[in-house]
Amino acid sequence: MELAQAADRLGYTRFWVAEHHSTPGIASSSPEVLVAALAARTSRIRIGSGGVLLSHYSALKVAEQFRTLEALYPGRIDLGIGRAPGGMPRTAAALRDGRPDAPERFPEQLGELACFLTDTVPTGHRHEGISAVPLIDSAPQLWLLGSTDRSAQFAAGLGAAFAFAHFINGSGGESVVQSYKRSFRPSALGAVPEASAAVYVLCADTDEEAGRLAASADLQLLRQEKGEFGDVPSPAEAAAYPYGKWDGLRIAENRKRMIVGGPETVRNRLLAFSRQYGVGEVIVVTTAYEFGARLRSYELLAQAMRL
């Protein structure tokens, strides 16, 4: 809540919350509930999901949830959709409540969601005559999130916006975004392609301090690759960890997904990153052990980027 209010005050464009289940260290298991609470406590910034895991739910229910949010906060709601399971296999199975996994239905669900959001369910469709209420004149902006080209193609075909998760996959994203733009088909969801890219960012007063703080994220990512999921480690714990040769190689590789440094370093690298991707908007994901360091990173970044 404090971070969203700070982002609103500092001039950021959007604040998104993810969907993760049964995951220690991540409290965002219900983005639609958090979006409502965050929008109520902010005044200007767009609030959204990054993103709802549509495969677990009905397209109608998701459309109604976010239409309700759009009715409450007109022009401020983003509906980001993801394809990830949102947790380990047993957790995903519990979310489906015994229903079989059917990833092949995802494109169909997306199409239904788009129809419900824009009141364009076609004649003869199995959902003909069904509307997502409340009936309103505007719609939440639909984003497809992904770390491969598949979601990009779904977004292009629907006329939706697309966000590439560079913080998950640090290679190949530029070509995915360009492919999305080339394949984009205008629709009721959007007239022109709109793309962004998400990257880990940690900004501190100096490059050295940023490097010290970023060691927490280095160790967290390393542990996740080893199947160890938990809270963000402290910088002291990260400094004392007995790293092996393989660990050092993985940390160096994972740093390709991060932008770490003092204000000017981060500004220059972020501008280069946006040019590299050909996007006018960048999503920043900041991992830090202490909330104060995380908040400070966003404050320094807002100053550096002249928000």
Side-chain angles (χ1 to χ4, degrees):
M1 295 294 181
E2 289 181 40
L3 188 58
Q5 290 172 327
D8 192 25
R9 182 179 69 252
L10 292 167
Y12 287 91
T13 303
R14 311 174 197 273
F15 189 96
W16 284 1
V17 289
E19 180 176 349
H20 292 275
H21 298 277
S22 191
T23 305
I26 301 178
S28 181
S29 59
S30 183
E32 59 276 10
V33 175
L34 279 176
V35 167
L38 293 167
R41 288 163 174 79
T42 52
S43 61
R44 175 201 57 80
I45 195 168
R46 295 186 67 92
I47 305 291
S49 58
V52 169
L53 305 178
L54 181 61
S55 60
H56 296 312
Y57 314 114
S58 98
L60 175 61
K61 182 61 175 175
V62 173
E64 289 190 328
Q65 286 172 336
F66 278 80
R67 267 201 159 185
T68 299
L69 291 166
E70 175 70 16
L72 290 168
Y73 308 102
R76 292 185 56 211
I77 302 299
D78 294 331
L79 171 52
I81 296 293
R83 292 192 301 122
M88 301 302 285
R90 290 183 63 238
T91 300
L95 284 167
R96 294 193 301 272
D97 196 26
R99 291 177 287 110
D101 188 14
E104 71 280 357
R105 280 210 65 239
F106 187 74
E108 180 185 356
Q109 287 181 289
L110 280 177
E112 292 174 354
L113 179 62
C115 288
F116 285 133
L117 289 175
T118 57
D119 296 314
T120 55
V121 178
T123 302
H125 191 278
R126 66 191 182 104
H127 294 321
E128 181 183 358
I130 298 176
S131 297
V133 295
L135 303 178
I136 55 178
D137 294 331
S138 61
Q141 186 177 22
L142 182 63
W143 288 78
L144 269 291
L145 317 180
S147 56
T148 67
D149 63 350
R150 193 168 184 204
S151 290
Q153 293 309 307
F154 288 150
L158 287 172
F162 173 66
F164 184 83
H166 181 94
F167 74 103
I168 293 175
N169 178 9
S171 62
E174 303 92 326
S175 61
V176 172
V177 169
Q178 294 310 311
S179 175
Y180 157 76
K181 291 179 179 180
R182 288 193 302 269
S183 304
F184 183 86
R185 290 162 42 186
S187 73
L189 292 172
V192 295
E194 184 170 353
S196 64
V199 59
Y200 281 120
V201 175
L202 201 150
C203 189
D205 290 281
T206 65
D207 288 353
E208 292 74 21
E209 176 64 5
R212 186 185 73 84
L213 294 172
S216 294
D218 290 335
L219 180 55
Q220 185 184 41
L221 290 174
L222 182 66
R223 284 175 167 169
Q224 288 174 356
E225 291 180 346
K226 297 179 178 181
E228 303 169 10
F229 298 90
D231 293 340
V232 179
S234 69
E237 183 181 355
Y241 189 83
Y243 298 99
K245 182 179 179 180
W246 181 89
D247 296 336
L249 294 174
R250 289 309 308 157
I251 288 173
E253 185 65 24
N254 287 334
R255 276 295 179 105
K256 296 177 182 178
R257 300 187 267 158
M258 302 182 190
I259 293 176
V260 175
E264 283 307 304
T265 297
V266 168
R267 172 181 169 81
N268 292 335
R269 290 191 61 193
L270 264 181
L271 291 174
F273 178 82
S274 67
R275 289 192 296 268
Q276 176 185 339
Y277 266 87
V279 296
E281 184 172 324
V282 172
I283 301 168
V284 294
V285 184
T286 299
T287 296
Y289 175 68
E290 293 182 350
F291 176 72
R294 192 169 177 230
L295 179 60
R296 178 65 173 162
S297 178
Y298 283 105
E299 290 172 343
L300 289 171
L301 181 60
Q303 295 169 15
M305 299 306 294
R306 323 295 197 251
L307 299 187

